[in-house]
Every structure is written in structure tokens, then in C-alpha cells.
Amino acid sequence: MSKKSFTTQSVQDTIELGKRVISEYDSSTVFCLYGDLGSGKTHFVKGAAAECGVDENEVHSPTFGIIHEYEGQKLVFHIDAYRIKSEREAVEAGIEACFAEDAIILIEWPEKIAGLIPGDAVKIHFEKTGPETRNITIII
Amino acid sequence: MKILGIESSCDETAAAVYVNGELLSNVVASQSIHEKYGGVVPELASRAHQKSISSTVRQALEESGYRPDELDAVAVTNGPGLMGALLVGLSFAKGFCLRHNLRLIGVNHMDAHIYANFIEDKPEYPMLSLVVSGGHTQIVHVTEPFEHTILGKTRDDAAGEAFDKTGKLLGLPYPAGPVMDRYAKEGNPKFHRFPQALLNEGLDFSFSGLKTSVLYYLEKVREEEGEVYLEKHLKDICASVSEAITGVLVHKLNRAIDQTGCRTILLAGGVSANSMLREKVMKLCDGKNLSLHIPKMAYCTDNAAMIAVTGFLKAKRGEFDDLSLKPYATQQV
């Protein structure tokens, strides 16, 4: 297991980190994004999606819609399990089906569907350290 | 033209019958389950839709007094939404059309929120529509039927989500929107000034920073004044958060009005139930002498009446689909 930590000073910083991290991975990787409300997960996804050729302004919170799908040079699934109450419900919502696609998959609130997450998923932890600053740790 | 409308894009399974300009029935499955079992949050996902779709459609038909073979078309939401959920409604609609020899009409869920205003009303084009819900926040310029330009949208959280998530930080039950609204009415909206992102920048919205500012405000006040002070001022804080959200919505709507010169304003989506937003939009439209249209609450939240009426408007233009109609998850720009 390896661990890499970053500190971002602003929202823009977090978006840039998303771009940088994604560029280091294959087109079919699952990323689990852990962290409280407002810790920067969605902004990280904006950067990740932009790196895949998606307009970052199109990327918005999937809390209500559960699964947002974007097609850039790569296929991107932005998933949010915030409202999911059970793994059965997640399967029915079609989350599991996304794992079969050749896509970059980014999941917010993955702890709610822990049993469904592939073992080789990249885990990224987001932590607020101040109103603007975030500590972001990547565990592989 | 006699139309059956079907909606299953996210949480609600719904069916409605709309005949020659008149809504004859409007059934939402999760609501009746909700009432029956006393406040159980409806299950999302496709199995819930599968379980309730045929009984929901049957009930809508029964209430309308029409038999399936007396209808002309089925209008169904084919996006944007949750793929598995959309497929349930779309597949049902296709089977229903085949069985009863009816035409099929695919309807965009976001368009339908706008045309919900035509269920009981006849707004004049061109129009500006503010669509605010748990999943969407958009200002849409409608120059003529089905000619839409999205002038502004949220870059992160939707307005309804902003109410729900800041409400959660304040310890309110989920979904927090309705409770927040009730408390806000009794609180002082000027108690604390929360930031309004992108206020003077274009027509896009950003609500995600509000969560962080509420969180840090609560931490600071808890430390400096104590928990009792927070409890005492909960209603003031709810009013101040509501002020930040509704203030920016109305500020941008006003800017869009000035930019387009539109005289007809539509409010749509579940958040249009918020009383502070309603008051502000009414005041704005009164001051500028604009014609404001807000659908009745049952047509603001997700429903099939809006799908049926949108289908009706499309049918009048001769816009039908064949059985190869596909669902799509994300709004196509």
C-alpha cells in the first residue's frame, strides 16, 4: 500500500489536483472519494473530468441524480451514494453495472456501498483543514 | 388528442391522463405510499418503479374514465435521469403503445418542468424560466415552443441540495428544505450574512461553498457563544441561509430579465415551494410589471401531468417517436 498526501489552498487548486491525479491512471479505474460535506470531492471530480475531455462546468453534484455520465475522450461516471440506503438499492440504481464499462469512475460516499467497490479501487481521502485548505490523501 | 403521460426518471413513479387540453388524472406512486406508511422516505431505484408502474398507470386511467385503446399516444420521460429508472417507464410505455396501437412521444424531463406551467395556464412567449429542484438549477430562455437556451446553471450543488445539505449541518431532518422554510419564516434573514458565490459574475450558480461557510460559522459560534446560543438562534440562521440561497437565485433571474427583455417569467421545480423564493420572485415581477407564472405545487415536484402536457404540445407539432427511442442519463447541450 502506498500513500501520497497533498495540500490544496483553494477550490481551483483541488480542481488542478484532480486533473493531475487522473492523468496518471488508465481509462478504466475506479476512484473512491471519502470526505465530509464540503470537503472538495465534487471539485476534484471537475478536474478529473476535464482531464478526460469533459467541460468542467457541465460537472455538477450527482447527489440527486445518483449517476452522472459524461463522454469526453474518455467515458466518465460520477456517482454519489449519499442518498443510497442499501447495497441492494445501489445495484438496482445501476451503480454496479457502471463497473463493467471501460470508464473512469469516481464515487462520492463510497462507504455507503462498501461491498460493491472493486478491490483495486484507488482510495482518496478529503479533509478540511481550514475554510479554503484541504488535505487530500491518495491510497493505492 | 388523448395522452397518457409516464414519469420514472428518478424517485417518483407517476402517470397522468391529459385529454384535449384538460388534465383528467395525476397519480404519483411514492406519495400515496408515503402517506400510507407515514413519512417513510420512498425507495429510489428501478425495482420500486417496476413494482408500482402498472398499478400507477391503471389508477391514472381509471380516474380519467378512458380505456387504453381510446387514447392516441403515450408521452414518457426518456431523460435526463437515472438510466435504470428511465428504462422502466420507457419500456412500459413502448409495450403499452404496441399492445394498444398508440403513438410514442419522448419527453425531456427538464422541458416538462417548464411546460408544467401550461397545465392550468397559458403563458406568452418569449419566456424566462427559473427551474429549481433537488437536482437542477437552471435559467432557461424559451423563445418559442421547444426553442430553449440555458442561460445559467449550477456548477456544483443544486439549490434544493443546498437547502438539504446546509440543513443537515444545522441538524435538521433530511430532506431539510421544508423545515428550513418553516423556520426561516420566523427568523431574521439579516442575522448573519453568508457568502453568495458568483453573485456578480454571469448567470451560473455555485452553492457548494455555502456548506463550508455554514460549517465554519457553526464551529466558530459554538466555540465563542456556546451551543445554547446556537439553539436559540436556529431560526435566525435558517432564515440567513435561505436569504443567501434565494437572494442569489433572484439576483441572477433579474439579470437574465434585463439581458433578454422577457416579460413572462416562469418558476418551476420543487424548490418553487419555498416561500422566501416565491415572495422575492413575486416582488421582482411586480416591480417590473412582468407576468409571473408558478404552477400549483403538485405540478412543481416530479409528476406525470407535466410529461403528458409536454407530450400534448409536441403531438400538436407532429413530433412523435418510434419504438427505437432511447433513454439518456445526462442533459444534452
Side-chain angles (χ1 to χ4, degrees):
Chain A
M1 198 172 78
S2 77
K3 213 170 171 180
K4 258 193 265 182
S5 278
F6 303 86
T7 302
T8 60
Q9 306 292 341
S10 65
V11 162
Q12 198 50 43
D13 245 15
T14 303
I15 294 177
E16 290 304 321
L17 182 68
K19 289 183 189 170
R20 234 166 55 222
V21 170
I22 289 302
S23 67
E24 293 170 17
Y25 290 91
D26 289 348
S27 62
S28 56
T29 307
V30 177
F31 296 87
C32 291
L33 315 180
Y34 300 88
D36 283 341
L37 287 177
S39 60
K41 301 182 294 296
T42 298
H43 284 106
F44 183 90
V45 174
K46 277 176 173 282
E51 185 64 25
C52 298
V54 176
D55 177 1
E56 71 177 54
N57 287 330
E58 293 301 319
V59 176
H60 61 279
S61 169
T63 295
F64 184 79
I66 318 281
I67 303 172
H68 285 177
E69 185 181 335
Y70 301 99
E71 214 168 337
Q73 283 110 36
K74 290 176 188 171
L75 185 61
V76 179
F77 286 106
H78 183 193
I79 297 172
D80 191 333
Y82 185 77
R83 299 199 303 141
I84 299 273
K85 292 183 291 290
S86 69
E87 280 168 13
R88 187 185 62 107
E89 201 176 72
V91 171
E92 284 170 19
I95 291 179
E96 208 185 26
C98 296
F99 298 142
E101 303 269 352
D102 182 21
I104 292 280
I105 300 172
L106 301 118
I107 309 172
E108 302 193 34
W109 302 96
E111 53 271 54
K112 300 224 175 188
I113 53 167
L116 299 179
I117 305 287
D120 58 355
V122 178
K123 297 183 169 57
I124 308 182
H125 292 263
F126 295 75
E127 197 192 341
K128 287 191 284 274
T129 45
E132 298 288 330
T133 54
R134 301 288 184 271
N135 234 337
I136 298 170
T137 308
I138 302 173
I139 303 167
I140 312 163
Chain B
M1 185 67 72
K2 305 175 197 68
I3 296 193
L4 166 69
I6 295 177
E7 152 71 25
S8 71
S9 65
C10 198
D11 294 1
E12 325 283 357
T13 321
V17 176
Y18 187 81
V19 172
N20 300 328
E22 199 190 342
L23 183 68
L24 299 182
S25 63
N26 183 34
V27 181
V28 179
S30 71
Q31 255 174 23
S32 46
I33 293 168
H34 212 113
E35 283 154 17
K36 203 165 159 188
Y37 298 109
V40 179
V41 178
E43 206 175 346
L44 19 121
S46 36
R47 191 183 300 184
H49 289 299
Q50 275 164 23
K51 273 189 235 161
S52 44
I53 190 147
S54 61
S55 57
T56 306
V57 167
R58 196 181 312 131
Q59 193 183 331
L61 282 167
E62 268 169 23
E63 286 179 17
S64 78
Y66 279 87
R67 287 195 320 268
D69 54 5
E70 291 176 312
L71 301 173
D72 298 299
V74 178
V76 61
T77 312
N78 67 320
L82 193 58
M83 204 48 105
L86 288 166
L87 271 168
V88 174
L90 184 58
S91 310
F92 187 93
K94 286 179 180 176
F96 199 86
C97 285
L98 266 177
R99 167 74 178 79
H100 301 290
N101 200 21
L102 311 176
R103 308 289 301 268
L104 179 69
I105 307 165
V107 171
N108 176 301
H109 181 88
M110 296 306 291
D111 289 358
H113 272 304
I114 296 173
Y115 294 105
N117 281 284
F118 286 78
I119 296 170
E120 293 185 317
D121 206 352
K122 213 171 180 304
E124 276 177 35
Y125 296 92
M127 324 180 283
L128 255 189
S129 175
L130 176 63
V131 187
V132 274
S133 68
H136 301 277
T137 302
Q138 295 182 343
I139 296 178
V140 186
H141 189 200
V142 185
T143 48
E144 48 189 286
F146 300 97
E147 288 298 321
H148 300 178
T149 313
I150 298 172
L151 301 180
K153 60 182 181 324
T154 183
R155 293 190 186 166
D156 37 61
D157 297 356
E161 185 180 352
F163 277 114
D164 284 338
K165 289 191 172 169
T166 52
K168 188 178 161 107
L169 297 173
L170 291 166
L172 306 181
Y174 183 91
V179 187
M180 182 88 97
D181 189 20
R182 214 166 57 230
Y183 285 1
K185 278 185 206 163
E186 297 165 28
N188 172 14
K190 294 194 166 72
F191 181 73
H192 180 79
R193 198 183 161 85
F194 288 104
Q196 294 176 307
L198 305 178
L199 189 64
N200 295 310
E201 202 184 304
L203 293 173
D204 276 355
F205 302 94
S206 167
F207 292 110
S208 73
L210 186 63
K211 288 179 300 209
T212 312
S213 63
V214 168
L215 194 77
Y216 277 94
Y217 171 75
L218 294 178
E219 266 180 24
K220 187 169 154 267
V221 172
R222 204 167 269 136
E223 201 173 293
E224 289 170 6
E225 312 279 349
E227 193 65 41
V228 179
Y229 178 88
L230 266 188
E231 277 165 26
K232 192 176 141 208
H233 289 291
L234 179 62
K235 288 177 178 169
D236 295 326
I237 299 168
C238 285
S240 301
V241 169
S242 302
E243 173 68 28
I245 298 171
T246 58
V248 76
L249 287 171
V250 173
H251 184 87
K252 300 256 170 163
L253 178 63
N254 185 26
R255 185 178 297 156
I257 291 167
D258 290 345
Q259 216 169 290
T260 57
C262 273
R263 309 290 304 162
T264 307
I265 309 304
L266 312 180
L267 199 55
V271 180
S272 38
N274 182 277
S275 46
M276 195 186 274
L277 178 63
R278 276 180 182 241
E279 254 168 52
K280 285 197 161 103
V281 174
M282 279 181 204
K283 204 170 148 201
L284 173 73
C285 292
D286 274 353
K288 296 195 156 192
N289 205 14
L290 307 175
S291 157
L292 172 65
H293 304 260
I294 308 176
K296 169 162 117 178
M297 205 48 226
Y299 310 142
C300 279
T301 48
D302 288 355
N303 66 87
M306 68 180 193
I307 305 300
V309 77
T310 310
F312 178 75
L313 295 171
K314 287 184 93 171
K316 277 211 301 196
R317 295 154 56 89
E319 291 179 26
F320 294 96
D321 293 286
D322 59 40
L323 292 175
S324 65
L325 182 69
K326 288 186 175 58
Y328 54 92
T330 313
Q331 173 118 19
Q332 286 138 353
V333 187

